[in-house]
């Protein structure tokens, strides 16, 4: 019995509901070579297909997709860090103008302290740069209070 016919015979018998052991024993009793029978059963029951190796185009495409995702993530993180708003404590806080001697021009000492504390947080001010003596003294006192409260 040729190999292809043996495989076909085993498939037909299985389709009719016969037990694989019974089919095997029947074939061995009919003096069919045991290796031949085993090979035919392996062919019938072989469900795993061999995976073909990926081609260079597939590898290139997958690598390109990963690189694009990486660059998109890097760009998104960069944009996020640049776009996020800075912390604004109060809309009443005035901008620093170094050409003037008064940096935070407020009547209330508390409002003036809050103005200075914002600049202390971002390290945008040095008290020794202030020319006006009263303003410089207030800056040093505010800096001390700020350091104690942080």
């Amino acid at each position: 019995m040729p190999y292809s016919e043996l495989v076909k015979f085993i498939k037909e018998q299985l389709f009719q509901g016969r037990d694989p052991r019974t089919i095997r024993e029947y074939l061995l009793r009919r003096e069919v070579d045991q290796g031949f029978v085993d090979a035919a059963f392996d062919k019938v029951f072989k469900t795993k297909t061999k995976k073909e190796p990926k081609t260079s185009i597939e590898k290139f495409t997958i690598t390109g997709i990963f690189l694009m995702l990486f660059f998109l993530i890097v760009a998104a993180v960069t944009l996020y860090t640049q776009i996020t708003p800075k912390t604004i404590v109060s809309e009443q806080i005035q901008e620093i103008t170094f050409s003037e001697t008064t940096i935070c021009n407020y009547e209330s000492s508390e409002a003036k302290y809050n103005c200075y504390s914002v600049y202390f947080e971002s390290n945008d001010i040095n008290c020794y740069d202030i020319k006006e003596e009263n303003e410089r003294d207030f800056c040093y006192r505010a800096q001390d209070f700020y350091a104690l409260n942080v």
Side-chain angles (χ1 to χ4, degrees), residues 1 8 15 22 26 36-37 41 61 72-73 84 91 101 104 110 124 139-140 146 149:
M1 182 180 287
K8 185 178 177 183
F15 183 73
T22 308
Y26 171 78
F36 202 53
V37 172
F41 270 101
T61 304
L72 282 174
I73 290 171
T84 53
E91 293 179 8
T101 56
C104 295
E110 187 175 339
D124 287 339
C139 178
Y140 281 126
Y146 175 78
N149 289 327

Side-chain angles (χ1 to χ4, degrees), residues 87-102:
T87 306
I88 299 174
V89 174
S90 171
E91 293 179 8
Q92 298 175 350
I93 298 174
Q94 298 177 354
E95 293 288 326
I96 294 181
T97 54
F98 287 105
S99 61
E100 299 176 8
T101 56
T102 304

